[in-house]
């Protein structure tokens, strides 16, 4: 009998595939244009202000006024799409690409149910989730439970993607921090709108992978208790870009050259350590404890093994 650790097998296959795809340059790498210069310094300073040791991290969300249009309507449900100016302050707004200044959101709502008797969950995007469709599919079954779905299109994704960016491959390290900070601001404002303008009685925020990290941050920083559901999410971007498969998709040489032009020559290991320090800003364990920890559900993966003999048994 041969015992195979499925988790380890998938880990090896993922890394072999990732190394092949990215080292053969079939796909462009992340951060091909370097660190982001002064934008990165700005983001490091602003994100550090979110941590508990700094006073005033629970600032109130900005009130937004989305402009809505109806996409379709049935006897039981209505899908609308809205556009609103991102509520980021002027410093963040000037750092964002112009394409990301206006946020887009889809809103799937049960009909003939008053908002105070409904709940609504804001779904945040995982890496590479550019449009509404994938997350809206999750909202379909929730309609029967009187749960509405709100899907936010992230900055740098979909119609908010910068012209020179290919797919989800962000051009600079600063773009990753910008994406996260703007997503947090927009999600908090959407939750505030659901509460103060739409009159919803219960609200939540969820996301898969990167979206789960952002959901955890939103749940941590929102001034009132909110249900928070991170799915298959690392505790920080360090795991994905320095340890996981995306380390094969990172332009380490471009990052080293960028540092060498401004500071001093560095080894690749020193560059990776610099990346770890920067991405430690995305570590959700450094954020404040949410107002109601009992309203948080983490969905994590488990490692299973299978025994290969005449029959396959899953343990």
């Amino acid at each position: 009998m041969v015992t195979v650790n499925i988790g380890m097998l998938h880990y090896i296959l993922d890394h072999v595939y990732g190394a092949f795809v990215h080292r053969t340059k079939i796909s462009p790498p992340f951060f091909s244009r370097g660190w982001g210069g002064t934008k990165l310094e700005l983001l490091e300073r602003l994100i550090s202000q979110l941590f508990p040791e700094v006073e005033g991290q629970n600032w109130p969300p900005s009130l937004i006024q989305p402009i809505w249009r109806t996409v379709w309507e049935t006897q039981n449900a209505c899908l609308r799409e809205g556009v609103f100016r991102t509520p980021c302050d002027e410093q963040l707004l000037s750092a964002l690409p112009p394409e990301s200044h206006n946020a887009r959101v889809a809103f799937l709502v049960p009909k003939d149910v008053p908002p105070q008797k409904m709940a609504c969950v804001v779904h945040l995007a995982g890496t590479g989730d550019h449009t509404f469709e994938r997350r809206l599919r999750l909202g379909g079954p929730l309609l029967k439970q009187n749960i509405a779905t709100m899907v936010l299109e992230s900055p740098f994704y979909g119609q908010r993607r910068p012209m020179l960016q290919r797919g989800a491959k962000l051009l600079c390290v600063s773009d990753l921090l910008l994406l996260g900070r703007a997503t947090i601001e927009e999600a908090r404002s959407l939750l505030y709108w659901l509460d103060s303008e739409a009159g919803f009685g219960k609200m939540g925020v969820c996301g898969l992978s990167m979206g789960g990290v952002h959901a955890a941050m939103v749940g941590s920083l929102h001034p009132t208790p909110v249900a928070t559901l991170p799915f298959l999410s690392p505790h920080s971007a360090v795991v994905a870009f320095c340890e996981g498969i995306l380390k094969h998709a990172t332009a380490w040489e471009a990052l080293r050259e960028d540092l060498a032009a401004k500071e001093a020559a560095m080894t690749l290991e020193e560059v990776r350590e610099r990346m770890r320090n920067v991405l430690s800003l995305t570590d959700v364990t450094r954020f404040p404890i949410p107002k109601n920890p009992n309203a948080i559900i983490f969905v994590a993966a488990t490692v299973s093994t299978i025994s290969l003999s005449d029959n396959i048994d899953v343990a």
Side-chain angles (χ1 to χ4, degrees), residues 76-277:
N76 302 316
C78 176
L79 176 64
R80 295 188 292 165
E81 289 185 6
V83 179
F84 60 94
R85 185 76 164 175
T86 183
C88 296
D89 63 28
E90 287 303 316
Q91 281 185 305
L92 285 173
L93 196 64
S94 63
L96 281 169
E99 297 91 339
S100 293
H101 285 189
N102 289 326
R104 298 178 65 242
V105 62
F107 194 20
L108 181 62
V109 188
K111 287 183 68 177
D112 302 323
V113 182
Q116 61 269 23
K117 292 187 178 181
M118 283 193 287
C120 184
V121 180
V122 177
H123 294 243
L124 304 181
T127 302
D129 191 354
H130 286 270
T131 60
F132 299 136
E133 285 74 15
R134 188 182 301 174
R135 284 168 285 161
L136 280 177
R137 290 195 204 107
L138 299 175
L142 298 178
L143 292 171
K144 297 178 181 178
Q145 307 296 324
N146 290 334
I147 299 175
T149 293
M150 186 170 270
V151 178
L152 175 65
E153 184 177 69
S154 287
F156 296 91
Y157 278 16
Q159 293 187 25
R160 307 180 70 185
R161 185 178 64 191
M163 186 182 300
L164 297 178
Q165 179 183 307
R166 290 186 59 190
K169 301 303 174 60
L170 303 173
L171 297 174
C172 299
V173 176
S174 60
D175 292 347
L176 182 64
L177 300 184
L178 267 172
L179 188 161
R181 180 61 191 267
T183 296
I184 292 169
E185 298 290 344
E186 292 167 5
R188 293 172 76 244
S189 290
L190 286 171
L191 290 168
Y192 185 46
W193 181 87
L194 286 166
D195 180 23
S196 62
E197 298 291 310
F200 276 78
K202 296 180 180 179
M203 294 163 298
V205 59
C206 73
L208 173 71
S209 188
M210 178 183 73
V213 176
H214 294 157
M217 293 175 177
V218 171
S220 165
L221 296 170
H222 200 61
T224 58
V226 59
T228 305
L229 303 99
F231 300 135
L232 304 178
S233 304
H235 64 87
S236 83
V238 172
V239 177
F241 287 96
C242 299
E243 300 168 12
I245 191 171
L246 292 183
K247 71 180 182 182
H248 301 297
T250 299
W252 296 110
E253 191 60 43
L255 293 171
R256 179 167 69 171
E257 291 174 1
D258 191 20
L259 285 174
K262 297 170 185 175
E263 301 174 16
M266 300 179 103
T267 66
L268 283 178
E269 189 53 44
E270 289 173 324
V271 174
R272 291 189 176 96
E273 188 59 30
R274 164 70 170 145
M275 179 71 88
R276 284 180 176 275
N277 290 335

Side-chain angles (χ1 to χ4, degrees), residues 283-302:
D283 190 337
V284 296
T285 65
R286 299 177 64 184
F287 280 66
I289 296 173
K291 306 300 177 297
N292 182 7
N294 293 326
I296 302 171
I297 299 175
F298 288 97
V299 179
T302 58

